[in-house]
Amino acid sequence: MPIVIGIFCLLPLGIGLVLEYLCCRIPKRRIWRALPPALAVLFVLIVGVGRWNMWTSEEVSPVTQLILFPGLPGIFLLIGCYLGWRLWKWFWRPRVIKGP
């Protein structure tokens, strides 16, 4: 069970956090900030369509399998992107220092 949680939840969360933080921190253009969430959605759609086509020929319902993969890792990847953006905002926001 810990391996499943690590692979399906924590790994995508960490990847999303790191990618979004780096895309917000390093490049100067704002368009790069949208790259990790867009790639996450594209990844989920491509894998979801591929798995849906794989199961259309069988009699087994693919809905539960689509929720487990790519649904769960996709959700955690997007949550990681959001947390990476919030981390960047927290570290690099302008701070007001009050005088005496």
Side-chain angles (χ1 to χ4, degrees):
M1 188 66 155
I3 293 174
V4 172
I5 292 173
I7 291 174
F8 286 121
C9 299
L10 297 179
L11 186 65
L13 184 78
I15 289 171
L17 190 139
V18 169
L19 286 178
E20 183 68 27
Y21 180 79
L22 290 177
C23 283
C24 286
R25 175 70 178 107
I26 295 173
K28 299 293 182 190
R29 295 181 166 244
R30 288 185 175 200
I31 192 73
W32 288 98
R33 294 178 192 169
L35 187 64
L39 288 177
V41 169
L42 185 68
F43 166 75
V44 169
L45 288 175
I46 289 172
V47 173
V49 167
R51 288 181 65 105
W52 183 268
N53 289 335
M54 183 174 66
W55 275 300
T56 54
S57 61
E58 297 178 12
E59 295 178 9
V60 180
S61 174
V63 176
T64 57
Q65 298 298 323
L66 289 175
I67 290 172
L68 181 62
F69 185 77
L72 190 63
I75 289 170
F76 276 96
L77 190 60
L78 290 173
I79 291 171
C81 289
Y82 174 74
L83 292 176
W85 177 74
R86 293 298 301 165
L87 183 70
W88 172 77
K89 293 286 274 187
W90 184 70
F91 275 131
W92 300 102
R93 71 176 182 255
R95 292 183 173 86
V96 177
I97 300 173
K98 296 181 180 179

